[in-house]
Each structure stands twice: as C-alpha cells, then as structure tokens.
PDB file of all heavy atoms in Angstrom:
ATOM      1  N   ASN U  12     110.661 128.794 102.789  1.00 98.00           N
ATOM      2  CA  ASN U  12     109.864 130.017 102.826  1.00 98.00           C
ATOM      3  C   ASN U  12     109.144 130.175 104.177  1.00 98.00           C
ATOM      4  O   ASN U  12     108.124 130.844 104.263  1.00 98.00           O
ATOM      5  CB  ASN U  12     108.856 130.008 101.668  1.00 98.00           C
ATOM      6  CG  ASN U  12     108.279 131.367 101.389  1.00 98.00           C
ATOM      7  OD1 ASN U  12     109.001 132.334 101.230  1.00 98.00           O
ATOM      8  ND2 ASN U  12     106.955 131.440 101.339  1.00 98.00           N
ATOM      9  N   GLY U  13     109.639 129.553 105.208  1.00 97.00           N
ATOM     10  CA  GLY U  13     109.051 129.699 106.525  1.00 97.00           C
ATOM     11  C   GLY U  13     107.869 128.779 106.793  1.00 97.00           C
ATOM     12  O   GLY U  13     107.126 128.980 107.748  1.00 97.00           O
ATOM     13  N   GLY U  14     107.667 127.793 105.950  1.00 98.00           N
ATOM     14  CA  GLY U  14     106.606 126.816 106.171  1.00 98.00           C
ATOM     15  C   GLY U  14     105.301 127.109 105.456  1.00 98.00           C
ATOM     16  O   GLY U  14     104.348 126.347 105.588  1.00 98.00           O
ATOM     17  N   THR U  15     105.255 128.193 104.686  1.00 98.00           N
ATOM     18  CA  THR U  15     104.057 128.505 103.900  1.00 98.00           C
ATOM     19  C   THR U  15     104.476 129.060 102.545  1.00 98.00           C
ATOM     20  O   THR U  15     105.534 129.686 102.423  1.00 98.00           O
ATOM     21  CB  THR U  15     103.153 129.559 104.584  1.00 98.00           C
ATOM     22  OG1 THR U  15     103.842 130.796 104.638  1.00 98.00           O
ATOM     23  CG2 THR U  15     102.730 129.135 105.964  1.00 98.00           C
ATOM     24  N   ALA U  16     103.635 128.830 101.546  1.00 98.00           N
ATOM     25  CA  ALA U  16     103.927 129.387 100.226  1.00 98.00           C
ATOM     26  C   ALA U  16     102.671 129.371  99.363  1.00 98.00           C
ATOM     27  O   ALA U  16     101.859 128.455  99.448  1.00 98.00           O
ATOM     28  CB  ALA U  16     105.035 128.601  99.531  1.00 98.00           C
ATOM     29  N   LEU U  17     102.551 130.389  98.551  1.00 97.00           N
ATOM     30  CA  LEU U  17     101.506 130.430  97.536  1.00 97.00           C
ATOM     31  C   LEU U  17     101.998 129.666  96.311  1.00 97.00           C
ATOM     32  O   LEU U  17     103.209 129.525  96.091  1.00 97.00           O
ATOM     33  CB  LEU U  17     101.177 131.871  97.144  1.00 97.00           C
ATOM     34  CG  LEU U  17     100.582 132.754  98.236  1.00 97.00           C
ATOM     35  CD1 LEU U  17     100.498 134.198  97.759  1.00 97.00           C
ATOM     36  CD2 LEU U  17      99.202 132.241  98.631  1.00 97.00           C
ATOM     37  N   PHE U  18     101.068 129.200  95.503  1.00 96.00           N
ATOM     38  CA  PHE U  18     101.409 128.471  94.288  1.00 96.00           C
ATOM     39  C   PHE U  18     102.369 129.290  93.420  1.00 96.00           C
ATOM     40  O   PHE U  18     103.353 128.758  92.893  1.00 96.00           O
ATOM     41  CB  PHE U  18     100.128 128.121  93.513  1.00 96.00           C
ATOM     42  CG  PHE U  18     100.375 127.379  92.253  1.00 96.00           C
ATOM     43  CD1 PHE U  18     100.673 126.026  92.270  1.00 96.00           C
ATOM     44  CD2 PHE U  18     100.321 128.026  91.025  1.00 96.00           C
ATOM     45  CE1 PHE U  18     100.912 125.330  91.097  1.00 96.00           C
ATOM     46  CE2 PHE U  18     100.563 127.338  89.851  1.00 96.00           C
ATOM     47  CZ  PHE U  18     100.849 125.998  89.889  1.00 96.00           C
ATOM     48  N   SER U  19     102.104 130.593  93.275  1.00 95.00           N
ATOM     49  CA  SER U  19     102.949 131.440  92.424  1.00 95.00           C
ATOM     50  C   SER U  19     104.387 131.475  92.931  1.00 95.00           C
ATOM     51  O   SER U  19     105.332 131.445  92.134  1.00 95.00           O
ATOM     52  CB  SER U  19     102.386 132.857  92.346  1.00 95.00           C
ATOM     53  OG  SER U  19     102.284 133.424  93.644  1.00 95.00           O
ATOM     54  N   HIS U  20     104.577 131.510  94.243  1.00 97.00           N
ATOM     55  CA  HIS U  20     105.932 131.500  94.802  1.00 97.00           C
ATOM     56  C   HIS U  20     106.630 130.174  94.496  1.00 97.00           C
ATOM     57  O   HIS U  20     107.814 130.161  94.132  1.00 97.00           O
ATOM     58  CB  HIS U  20     105.886 131.729  96.318  1.00 97.00           C
ATOM     59  CG  HIS U  20     107.228 131.624  96.963  1.00 97.00           C
ATOM     60  ND1 HIS U  20     108.158 132.634  96.899  1.00 97.00           N
ATOM     61  CD2 HIS U  20     107.816 130.613  97.656  1.00 97.00           C
ATOM     62  CE1 HIS U  20     109.265 132.254  97.530  1.00 97.00           C
ATOM     63  NE2 HIS U  20     109.080 131.032  97.997  1.00 97.00           N
ATOM     64  N   ILE U  21     105.902 129.081  94.641  1.00 97.00           N
ATOM     65  CA  ILE U  21     106.475 127.761  94.351  1.00 97.00           C
ATOM     66  C   ILE U  21     106.924 127.702  92.898  1.00 97.00           C
ATOM     67  O   ILE U  21     108.042 127.250  92.603  1.00 97.00           O
ATOM     68  CB  ILE U  21     105.448 126.646  94.669  1.00 97.00           C
ATOM     69  CG1 ILE U  21     105.194 126.598  96.188  1.00 97.00           C
ATOM     70  CG2 ILE U  21     105.936 125.292  94.149  1.00 97.00           C
ATOM     71  CD1 ILE U  21     104.003 125.752  96.595  1.00 97.00           C
ATOM     72  N   MET U  22     106.092 128.201  91.989  1.00 97.00           N
ATOM     73  CA  MET U  22     106.443 128.180  90.567  1.00 97.00           C
ATOM     74  C   MET U  22     107.665 129.059  90.283  1.00 97.00           C
ATOM     75  O   MET U  22     108.526 128.692  89.481  1.00 97.00           O
ATOM     76  CB  MET U  22     105.242 128.609  89.717  1.00 97.00           C
ATOM     77  CG  MET U  22     104.073 127.638  89.764  1.00 97.00           C
ATOM     78  SD  MET U  22     104.484 125.921  89.339  1.00 97.00           S
ATOM     79  CE  MET U  22     104.818 126.059  87.581  1.00 97.00           C
ATOM     80  N   GLN U  23     107.758 130.210  90.959  1.00 96.00           N
ATOM     81  CA  GLN U  23     108.920 131.091  90.789  1.00 96.00           C
ATOM     82  C   GLN U  23     110.203 130.396  91.243  1.00 96.00           C
ATOM     83  O   GLN U  23     111.236 130.481  90.575  1.00 96.00           O
ATOM     84  CB  GLN U  23     108.738 132.385  91.578  1.00 96.00           C
ATOM     85  CG  GLN U  23     107.713 133.322  91.006  1.00 96.00           C
ATOM     86  CD  GLN U  23     107.399 134.480  91.947  1.00 96.00           C
ATOM     87  OE1 GLN U  23     107.859 134.531  93.084  1.00 96.00           O
ATOM     88  NE2 GLN U  23     106.587 135.412  91.465  1.00 96.00           N
ATOM     89  N   GLU U  24     110.126 129.720  92.373  1.00 97.00           N
ATOM     90  CA  GLU U  24     111.301 129.023  92.892  1.00 97.00           C
ATOM     91  C   GLU U  24     111.713 127.871  91.979  1.00 97.00           C
ATOM     92  O   GLU U  24     112.898 127.635  91.770  1.00 97.00           O
ATOM     93  CB  GLU U  24     111.051 128.520  94.317  1.00 97.00           C
ATOM     94  CG  GLU U  24     110.935 129.618  95.342  1.00 97.00           C
ATOM     95  CD  GLU U  24     112.183 130.486  95.428  1.00 97.00           C
ATOM     96  OE1 GLU U  24     113.287 129.929  95.577  1.00 97.00           O
ATOM     97  OE2 GLU U  24     112.045 131.729  95.348  1.00 97.00           O
ATOM     98  N   LEU U  25     110.728 127.163  91.442  1.00 97.00           N
ATOM     99  CA  LEU U  25     111.042 126.077  90.500  1.00 97.00           C
ATOM    100  C   LEU U  25     111.721 126.630  89.251  1.00 97.00           C
ATOM    101  O   LEU U  25     112.679 126.037  88.745  1.00 97.00           O
ATOM    102  CB  LEU U  25     109.768 125.309  90.126  1.00 97.00           C
ATOM    103  CG  LEU U  25     109.179 124.426  91.223  1.00 97.00           C
ATOM    104  CD1 LEU U  25     107.808 123.909  90.804  1.00 97.00           C
ATOM    105  CD2 LEU U  25     110.103 123.275  91.572  1.00 97.00           C
ATOM    106  N   ALA U  26     111.250 127.767  88.779  1.00 95.00           N
ATOM    107  CA  ALA U  26     111.847 128.389  87.585  1.00 95.00           C
ATOM    108  C   ALA U  26     113.292 128.800  87.866  1.00 95.00           C
ATOM    109  O   ALA U  26     114.161 128.641  86.995  1.00 95.00           O
ATOM    110  CB  ALA U  26     111.021 129.590  87.154  1.00 95.00           C
ATOM    111  N   LYS U  27     113.569 129.301  89.076  1.00 95.00           N
ATOM    112  CA  LYS U  27     114.942 129.676  89.445  1.00 95.00           C
ATOM    113  C   LYS U  27     115.874 128.467  89.387  1.00 95.00           C
ATOM    114  O   LYS U  27     117.054 128.603  89.096  1.00 95.00           O
ATOM    115  CB  LYS U  27     114.985 130.253  90.862  1.00 95.00           C
ATOM    116  CG  LYS U  27     114.480 131.652  90.984  1.00 95.00           C
ATOM    117  CD  LYS U  27     114.625 132.101  92.437  1.00 95.00           C
ATOM    118  CE  LYS U  27     113.892 133.385  92.698  1.00 95.00           C
ATOM    119  NZ  LYS U  27     113.921 133.748  94.135  1.00 95.00           N
ATOM    120  N   GLU U  28     115.328 127.304  89.702  1.00 92.00           N
ATOM    121  CA  GLU U  28     116.113 126.071  89.702  1.00 92.00           C
ATOM    122  C   GLU U  28     116.120 125.395  88.339  1.00 92.00           C
ATOM    123  O   GLU U  28     116.513 124.235  88.213  1.00 92.00           O
ATOM    124  CB  GLU U  28     115.550 125.105  90.760  1.00 92.00           C
ATOM    125  CG  GLU U  28     115.646 125.634  92.166  1.00 92.00           C
ATOM    126  CD  GLU U  28     114.895 124.765  93.171  1.00 92.00           C
ATOM    127  OE1 GLU U  28     114.489 123.632  92.826  1.00 92.00           O
ATOM    128  OE2 GLU U  28     114.715 125.223  94.304  1.00 92.00           O
ATOM    129  N   GLN U  29     115.653 126.111  87.318  1.00 93.00           N
ATOM    130  CA  GLN U  29     115.594 125.578  85.951  1.00 93.00           C
ATOM    131  C   GLN U  29     114.671 124.374  85.851  1.00 93.00           C
ATOM    132  O   GLN U  29     114.860 123.494  85.011  1.00 93.00           O
ATOM    133  CB  GLN U  29     117.000 125.203  85.444  1.00 93.00           C
ATOM    134  CG  GLN U  29     118.029 126.309  85.545  1.00 93.00           C
ATOM    135  CD  GLN U  29     117.683 127.522  84.711  1.00 93.00           C
ATOM    136  OE1 GLN U  29     117.299 127.396  83.559  1.00 93.00           O
ATOM    137  NE2 GLN U  29     117.794 128.700  85.283  1.00 93.00           N
ATOM    138  N   ASN U  30     113.690 124.304  86.732  1.00 92.00           N
ATOM    139  CA  ASN U  30     112.726 123.212  86.710  1.00 92.00           C
ATOM    140  C   ASN U  30     111.512 123.690  85.929  1.00 92.00           C
ATOM    141  O   ASN U  30     110.886 124.676  86.302  1.00 92.00           O
ATOM    142  CB  ASN U  30     112.341 122.835  88.142  1.00 92.00           C
ATOM    143  CG  ASN U  30     111.516 121.586  88.195  1.00 92.00           C
ATOM    144  OD1 ASN U  30     110.642 121.389  87.377  1.00 92.00           O
ATOM    145  ND2 ASN U  30     111.793 120.741  89.164  1.00 92.00           N
ATOM    146  N   GLU U  31     111.177 122.993  84.883  1.00 89.00           N
ATOM    147  CA  GLU U  31     110.103 123.430  83.990  1.00 89.00           C
ATOM    148  C   GLU U  31     108.851 122.575  84.116  1.00 89.00           C
ATOM    149  O   GLU U  31     108.190 122.276  83.115  1.00 89.00           O
ATOM    150  CB  GLU U  31     110.618 123.444  82.544  1.00 89.00           C
ATOM    151  CG  GLU U  31     111.758 124.420  82.363  1.00 89.00           C
ATOM    152  CD  GLU U  31     112.288 124.457  80.942  1.00 89.00           C
ATOM    153  OE1 GLU U  31     111.662 123.874  80.038  1.00 89.00           O
ATOM    154  OE2 GLU U  31     113.341 125.082  80.744  1.00 89.00           O
ATOM    155  N   TRP U  32     108.494 122.202  85.330  1.00 95.00           N
ATOM    156  CA  TRP U  32     107.270 121.449  85.518  1.00 95.00           C
ATOM    157  C   TRP U  32     106.074 122.299  85.120  1.00 95.00           C
ATOM    158  O   TRP U  32     106.050 123.500  85.355  1.00 95.00           O
ATOM    159  CB  TRP U  32     107.091 121.026  86.969  1.00 95.00           C
ATOM    160  CG  TRP U  32     108.036 119.969  87.443  1.00 95.00           C
ATOM    161  CD1 TRP U  32     108.760 119.099  86.678  1.00 95.00           C
ATOM    162  CD2 TRP U  32     108.363 119.662  88.792  1.00 95.00           C
ATOM    163  NE1 TRP U  32     109.505 118.272  87.478  1.00 95.00           N
ATOM    164  CE2 TRP U  32     109.276 118.599  88.778  1.00 95.00           C
ATOM    165  CE3 TRP U  32     107.971 120.185  90.007  1.00 95.00           C
ATOM    166  CZ2 TRP U  32     109.800 118.044  89.931  1.00 95.00           C
ATOM    167  CZ3 TRP U  32     108.488 119.641  91.172  1.00 95.00           C
ATOM    168  CH2 TRP U  32     109.395 118.573  91.129  1.00 95.00           C
ATOM    169  N   LYS U  33     105.091 121.667  84.558  1.00 96.00           N
ATOM    170  CA  LYS U  33     103.843 122.338  84.186  1.00 96.00           C
ATOM    171  C   LYS U  33     103.010 122.581  85.439  1.00 96.00           C
ATOM    172  O   LYS U  33     103.147 121.882  86.451  1.00 96.00           O
ATOM    173  CB  LYS U  33     103.047 121.491  83.187  1.00 96.00           C
ATOM    174  CG  LYS U  33     103.812 121.129  81.922  1.00 96.00           C
ATOM    175  CD  LYS U  33     103.971 122.338  81.049  1.00 96.00           C
ATOM    176  CE  LYS U  33     104.655 121.937  79.746  1.00 96.00           C
ATOM    177  NZ  LYS U  33     105.518 122.937  79.225  1.00 96.00           N
ATOM    178  N   ASN U  34     102.107 123.552  85.372  1.00 96.00           N
ATOM    179  CA  ASN U  34     101.227 123.875  86.504  1.00 96.00           C
ATOM    180  C   ASN U  34     100.485 122.648  87.015  1.00 96.00           C
ATOM    181  O   ASN U  34     100.400 122.439  88.225  1.00 96.00           O
ATOM    182  CB  ASN U  34     100.213 124.938  86.100  1.00 96.00           C
ATOM    183  CG  ASN U  34     100.831 126.308  85.950  1.00 96.00           C
ATOM    184  OD1 ASN U  34     102.025 126.505  86.157  1.00 96.00           O
ATOM    185  ND2 ASN U  34     100.017 127.276  85.581  1.00 96.00           N
ATOM    186  N   ASN U  35      99.936 121.857  86.104  1.00 97.00           N
ATOM    187  CA  ASN U  35      99.160 120.678  86.514  1.00 97.00           C
ATOM    188  C   ASN U  35     100.014 119.661  87.265  1.00 97.00           C
ATOM    189  O   ASN U  35      99.529 119.012  88.195  1.00 97.00           O
ATOM    190  CB  ASN U  35      98.481 120.016  85.318  1.00 97.00           C
ATOM    191  CG  ASN U  35      97.286 120.809  84.835  1.00 97.00           C
ATOM    192  OD1 ASN U  35      96.754 121.661  85.558  1.00 97.00           O
ATOM    193  ND2 ASN U  35      96.851 120.539  83.614  1.00 97.00           N
ATOM    194  N   THR U  36     101.262 119.517  86.865  1.00 97.00           N
ATOM    195  CA  THR U  36     102.171 118.592  87.557  1.00 97.00           C
ATOM    196  C   THR U  36     102.370 119.047  88.995  1.00 97.00           C
ATOM    197  O   THR U  36     102.272 118.253  89.934  1.00 97.00           O
ATOM    198  CB  THR U  36     103.529 118.515  86.828  1.00 97.00           C
ATOM    199  OG1 THR U  36     103.317 118.081  85.491  1.00 97.00           O
ATOM    200  CG2 THR U  36     104.498 117.586  87.538  1.00 97.00           C
ATOM    201  N   VAL U  37     102.638 120.328  89.171  1.00 98.00           N
ATOM    202  CA  VAL U  37     102.872 120.873  90.508  1.00 98.00           C
ATOM    203  C   VAL U  37     101.605 120.765  91.349  1.00 98.00           C
ATOM    204  O   VAL U  37     101.657 120.368  92.519  1.00 98.00           O
ATOM    205  CB  VAL U  37     103.376 122.332  90.427  1.00 98.00           C
ATOM    206  CG1 VAL U  37     103.512 122.940  91.814  1.00 98.00           C
ATOM    207  CG2 VAL U  37     104.707 122.390  89.685  1.00 98.00           C
ATOM    208  N   LEU U  38     100.460 121.083  90.767  1.00 97.00           N
ATOM    209  CA  LEU U  38      99.195 120.966  91.500  1.00 97.00           C
ATOM    210  C   LEU U  38      98.927 119.529  91.931  1.00 97.00           C
ATOM    211  O   LEU U  38      98.455 119.285  93.045  1.00 97.00           O
ATOM    212  CB  LEU U  38      98.037 121.499  90.651  1.00 97.00           C
ATOM    213  CG  LEU U  38      98.005 123.019  90.480  1.00 97.00           C
ATOM    214  CD1 LEU U  38      96.987 123.424  89.407  1.00 97.00           C
ATOM    215  CD2 LEU U  38      97.722 123.719  91.799  1.00 97.00           C
ATOM    216  N   THR U  39      99.249 118.579  91.069  1.00 98.00           N
ATOM    217  CA  THR U  39      99.080 117.162  91.412  1.00 98.00           C
ATOM    218  C   THR U  39      99.980 116.781  92.580  1.00 98.00           C
ATOM    219  O   THR U  39      99.548 116.123  93.528  1.00 98.00           O
ATOM    220  CB  THR U  39      99.387 116.261  90.194  1.00 98.00           C
ATOM    221  OG1 THR U  39      98.442 116.573  89.161  1.00 98.00           O
ATOM    222  CG2 THR U  39      99.306 114.790  90.543  1.00 98.00           C
ATOM    223  N   LEU U  40     101.238 117.205  92.525  1.00 98.00           N
ATOM    224  CA  LEU U  40     102.178 116.902  93.611  1.00 98.00           C
ATOM    225  C   LEU U  40     101.735 117.550  94.925  1.00 98.00           C
ATOM    226  O   LEU U  40     101.799 116.929  95.986  1.00 98.00           O
ATOM    227  CB  LEU U  40     103.591 117.360  93.236  1.00 98.00           C
ATOM    228  CG  LEU U  40     104.254 116.598  92.088  1.00 98.00           C
ATOM    229  CD1 LEU U  40     105.535 117.304  91.649  1.00 98.00           C
ATOM    230  CD2 LEU U  40     104.527 115.165  92.472  1.00 98.00           C
ATOM    231  N   LEU U  41     101.245 118.776  94.859  1.00 98.00           N
ATOM    232  CA  LEU U  41     100.769 119.462  96.058  1.00 98.00           C
ATOM    233  C   LEU U  41      99.544 118.762  96.644  1.00 98.00           C
ATOM    234  O   LEU U  41      99.425 118.626  97.861  1.00 98.00           O
ATOM    235  CB  LEU U  41     100.442 120.926  95.740  1.00 98.00           C
ATOM    236  CG  LEU U  41     101.652 121.820  95.458  1.00 98.00           C
ATOM    237  CD1 LEU U  41     101.200 123.160  94.890  1.00 98.00           C
ATOM    238  CD2 LEU U  41     102.512 122.021  96.706  1.00 98.00           C
ATOM    239  N   SER U  42      98.650 118.286  95.778  1.00 97.00           N
ATOM    240  CA  SER U  42      97.468 117.580  96.296  1.00 97.00           C
ATOM    241  C   SER U  42      97.862 116.234  96.897  1.00 97.00           C
ATOM    242  O   SER U  42      97.276 115.804  97.896  1.00 97.00           O
ATOM    243  CB  SER U  42      96.395 117.421  95.218  1.00 97.00           C
ATOM    244  OG  SER U  42      96.834 116.598  94.183  1.00 97.00           O
ATOM    245  N   ARG U  43      98.885 115.580  96.362  1.00 98.00           N
ATOM    246  CA  ARG U  43      99.371 114.329  96.960  1.00 98.00           C
ATOM    247  C   ARG U  43      99.962 114.589  98.341  1.00 98.00           C
ATOM    248  O   ARG U  43      99.746 113.825  99.283  1.00 98.00           O
ATOM    249  CB  ARG U  43     100.430 113.679  96.070  1.00 98.00           C
ATOM    250  CG  ARG U  43      99.869 113.032  94.831  1.00 98.00           C
ATOM    251  CD  ARG U  43     100.980 112.401  94.034  1.00 98.00           C
ATOM    252  NE  ARG U  43     100.494 111.947  92.736  1.00 98.00           N
ATOM    253  CZ  ARG U  43     101.260 111.607  91.727  1.00 98.00           C
ATOM    254  NH1 ARG U  43     102.585 111.653  91.854  1.00 98.00           N
ATOM    255  NH2 ARG U  43     100.741 111.204  90.590  1.00 98.00           N
ATOM    256  N   LEU U  44     100.730 115.664  98.453  1.00 98.00           N
ATOM    257  CA  LEU U  44     101.317 116.021  99.743  1.00 98.00           C
ATOM    258  C   LEU U  44     100.232 116.361 100.768  1.00 98.00           C
ATOM    259  O   LEU U  44     100.363 116.040 101.941  1.00 98.00           O
ATOM    260  CB  LEU U  44     102.293 117.193  99.580  1.00 98.00           C
ATOM    261  CG  LEU U  44     103.616 116.840  98.916  1.00 98.00           C
ATOM    262  CD1 LEU U  44     104.350 118.090  98.446  1.00 98.00           C
ATOM    263  CD2 LEU U  44     104.491 116.026  99.860  1.00 98.00           C
ATOM    264  N   THR U  45      99.161 116.971 100.304  1.00 97.00           N
ATOM    265  CA  THR U  45      98.029 117.275 101.179  1.00 97.00           C
ATOM    266  C   THR U  45      97.346 115.983 101.622  1.00 97.00           C
ATOM    267  O   THR U  45      97.037 115.810 102.802  1.00 97.00           O
ATOM    268  CB  THR U  45      97.033 118.211 100.471  1.00 97.00           C
ATOM    269  OG1 THR U  45      97.720 119.411 100.084  1.00 97.00           O
ATOM    270  CG2 THR U  45      95.866 118.568 101.366  1.00 97.00           C
ATOM    271  N   ALA U  46      97.165 115.059 100.688  1.00 97.00           N
ATOM    272  CA  ALA U  46      96.530 113.774 101.012  1.00 97.00           C
ATOM    273  C   ALA U  46      97.381 112.956 101.988  1.00 97.00           C
ATOM    274  O   ALA U  46      96.845 112.208 102.807  1.00 97.00           O
ATOM    275  CB  ALA U  46      96.283 112.971  99.737  1.00 97.00           C
TER     276      ALA U  46
END
C-alpha cells in the first residue's frame, strides 16, 4: 500500500486473503512491529 496503511485497510486486505484474525490479534502484531 505504498508504505502506509490504516487499520481498516489492513483488516480489509486480510479479509480478501481469507484471513480471519480478530482485531486484537492484529493490534497486538502491529504493536510488536512498532516495538
């Protein structure tokens, strides 16, 4: 997505890939990547 993305876009892309991660899972992974 050009190096930036909103949470909603990330969730949309995951849904397209049939990935059903919960919001909290994705938020945890994003905070780990930030750390």
